[in-house]
């Protein structure tokens, strides 16, 4: 009887761990955020744009990364964005593709769709030219876009 309980517990742990690690690969999270407009009279100005590139044949991204401005606030905007889903995905602004020195904009809102991330007031695209989709848990790059 004791062996059966241990066996069942082991199977349960394997199933839970398997679901945790594999479910992001099969479940998409769609986002559809509008352009960030602060008032009816404000206009959105596009300051910079770049296409996403795959990290490798398994970790893929596509779409556009753009820096847009509405009044005095700048945003990083993803349009027509798609990425391989994964656990613990973050949006980084980085000095290189290895994420050695970066600014975190937080969790990726969804692996599919248009989305906005407010940029720090002192953000400089010359200093942090890379937009990274980064798996923080495993330190893996999923994709990148290089701003000018």
């Amino acid at each position: 009887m004791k062996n059966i309980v241990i066996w069942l517990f082991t199977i349960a742990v394997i199933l839970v761990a398997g679901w945790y690690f594999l479910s992001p690969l099969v479940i998409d999270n769609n986002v559809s955020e509008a352009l960030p407009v602060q008032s009816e009279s404000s206009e959105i100005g596009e300051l910079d744009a770049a296409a996403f590139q795959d990290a490798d044949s398994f970790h893929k991204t596509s779409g556009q990364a753009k820096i847009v401005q509405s009044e005095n606030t700048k945003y990083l905007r993803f349009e027509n964005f798609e990425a391989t889903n994964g656990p613990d995905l973050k949006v980084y602004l980085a000095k290189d593709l290895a994420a050695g020195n970066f600014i975190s904009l937080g969790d990726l809102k969804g692996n599919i769709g248009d989305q906005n991330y407010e940029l720090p007031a002192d953000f400089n695209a010359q200093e942090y030219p890379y937009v990274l989709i980064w798996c923080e848990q495993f330190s893996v790059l999923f994709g990148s876009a290089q701003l000018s």
Side-chain angles (χ1 to χ4, degrees):
M1 181 68 171
K2 184 178 177 184
N3 286 341
I4 292 173
V5 171
I6 291 172
W7 226 96
L8 290 174
F9 178 76
T10 302
I11 290 173
V13 168
I14 290 170
L15 289 174
V16 168
W19 178 253
Y20 174 77
F21 289 112
L22 297 177
S23 66
L25 300 177
V26 296
I27 298 173
D28 288 326
N29 187 7
N30 290 288
V31 177
S32 182
E33 292 185 329
L35 277 167
V37 177
Q38 295 173 343
S39 70
E40 287 184 25
S41 64
S42 66
E43 289 187 25
I44 296 291
E46 186 177 311
L47 304 177
D48 201 352
F52 273 100
Q53 305 293 316
D54 300 338
D56 55 44
S57 61
F58 184 72
H59 303 101
K60 297 178 174 275
T61 56
S62 64
Q64 291 279 315
K66 298 179 177 184
I67 296 178
V68 296
Q69 184 166 351
S70 174
E71 294 182 6
N72 294 327
T73 306
K74 290 181 185 176
Y75 297 89
L76 176 64
R77 177 163 173 80
F78 296 169
E79 290 184 346
N80 302 312
F81 179 76
E82 270 194 61
T84 306
N85 208 353
D88 202 24
L89 294 182
K90 307 291 183 190
V91 178
Y92 288 173
L93 302 168
K95 292 188 175 188
D96 58 37
L97 294 176
N101 192 336
F102 64 88
I103 299 167
S104 177
L105 298 181
D107 294 338
L108 181 67
K109 295 176 182 178
N111 69 308
I112 297 174
D114 300 342
Q115 47 205 286
N116 307 303
Y117 300 88
E118 189 171 335
L119 293 171
D122 61 348
F123 172 68
N124 180 344
Q126 302 292 338
E127 189 176 354
Y128 292 91
Y130 295 97
V131 177
L132 307 181
I133 306 303
W134 189 266
C135 175
E136 201 167 84
Q137 185 173 12
F138 295 106
S139 295
V140 174
L141 177 65
F142 273 53
S144 64
Q146 184 174 359
L147 304 168
S148 53

